[in-house]
Amino acid sequence: MRRWALARLALALLCASLLPAPVMALTVGNVFVSYVDGVPRYASQRLDASYRLFIRGDKVTRVARKSSVTVDSESRQRGRRHLTPLIEHYARVHQLAPELIAAVVGVESGFNASAVSPKGATGAMQLMPATAARYGVTNADDPAQNIAAGARHLKQLLASHHGNVALALAAYNAGQGAVARYGSRIPPYRETMLYVPAVLAAAARGSHQ
């Protein structure tokens, strides 16, 4: 099973590098992976001999699954400056690392608070309508409501997966049901296998800035 999953990961990364839009580039550093009881753990450096290079910096491809809006560098930086106070506030409220929330926002929407996906996901943290309703969001376009609900959802996913950040992110991307179906492992979906290390790498970079 583990060998099959690794093969699927390698194939997914290779295919992603060959596909046209909607694949987008995200600048990151190296990402390393180590497996403990079959569960992948990612890091921005080789923490011990069990870690292998998973993605070589400085670019990793990611699927623009949610936002149909292209965000240029200037708009991204402007959006980040606007959203950072909200990210930091709700990180304190929910006792999360602000770098993690910022990384989710960056990968999900490119810090575009007005992003809307073809599937109906909305805002900075790309909330699906059912998720927004679960957390009492009345206006998913409102950055404060969107980030408050997204951070709360991420907090609950972390609790559900006993603090395993990689699995919580996989559930954020693919849904809790998908993670459960694959035995509490990252589902072998191309999008999810790219999404998890992209967010973790962005969070690691943010923590060193």
Side-chain angles (χ1 to χ4, degrees), residues 15 17 25 29 35 47 72 74 84 116 118 125-126 142 162 172 182-184 206 209:
C15 292
S17 68
Y35 285 82
L47 299 180
D72 60 34
E74 183 178 346
T84 290
V116 179
M125 296 192 76
Q126 289 289 274
D142 179 351
H162 310 290
Y172 195 100
Y182 286 92
S184 293
Q209 290 179 352

Side-chain angles (χ1 to χ4, degrees), residues 2 24 37 52 67 134 137 145 158 162 176 182:
R2 175 178 168 183
M24 302 176 66
D37 296 327
R52 301 177 183 178
S67 172
R134 185 190 314 167
V137 174
Q145 289 193 49
L158 283 165
H162 310 290
Q176 289 176 280
Y182 286 92

Side-chain angles (χ1 to χ4, degrees), residues 6-205:
L6 288 172
R8 289 293 300 272
L9 284 170
L11 179 61
L13 290 171
L14 176 61
C15 292
S17 68
L18 300 176
L19 288 173
V23 173
M24 302 176 66
L26 174 69
T27 302
V28 297
N30 288 338
V31 179
F32 296 87
V33 62
S34 173
Y35 285 82
V36 177
D37 296 327
V39 178
R41 296 183 180 180
Y42 298 95
S44 58
Q45 58 186 323
R46 186 174 282 110
L47 299 180
D48 57 49
S50 69
Y51 280 82
R52 301 177 183 178
L53 183 64
F54 179 61
I55 297 176
R56 187 179 302 279
D58 60 351
K59 286 188 177 179
V60 58
T61 56
R62 70 174 173 87
V63 179
R65 79 176 164 105
K66 294 218 169 176
S67 172
S68 60
V69 180
T70 300
V71 182
D72 60 34
S73 178
E74 183 178 346
S75 296
R76 184 184 180 92
Q77 291 303 317
R78 184 167 58 249
R80 181 166 193 151
R81 287 193 298 271
H82 176 67
L83 296 177
T84 290
L86 292 172
I87 290 169
E88 292 180 345
H89 171 73
Y90 289 109
R92 289 192 297 271
V93 169
H94 297 291
Q95 297 181 314
L96 295 171
E99 296 84 5
L100 179 60
I101 299 177
V104 171
V105 173
V107 173
E108 288 285 348
S109 68
F111 295 94
N112 181 359
S114 300
V116 179
S117 81
K119 294 182 180 180
T122 305
M125 296 192 76
Q126 289 289 274
L127 301 179
M128 293 297 289
T131 304
R134 185 190 314 167
Y135 295 105
V137 174
T138 57
N139 180 7
D141 290 328
D142 179 351
Q145 289 193 49
N146 193 284
I147 294 173
R152 186 178 169 191
H153 184 48
L154 184 58
K155 176 74 171 182
Q156 291 199 3
L157 292 174
L158 283 165
S160 296
H161 295 286
H162 310 290
N164 187 310
V165 179
L167 289 182
L169 292 173
Y172 195 100
N173 176 264
Q176 289 176 280
V179 174
R181 283 195 300 274
Y182 286 92
S184 293
R185 298 185 182 186
I186 296 175
Y189 306 153
R190 170 178 169 268
E191 177 186 313
T192 306
M193 290 188 295
L194 295 174
Y195 175 88
V196 172
V199 174
L200 289 172
R205 285 170 62 85

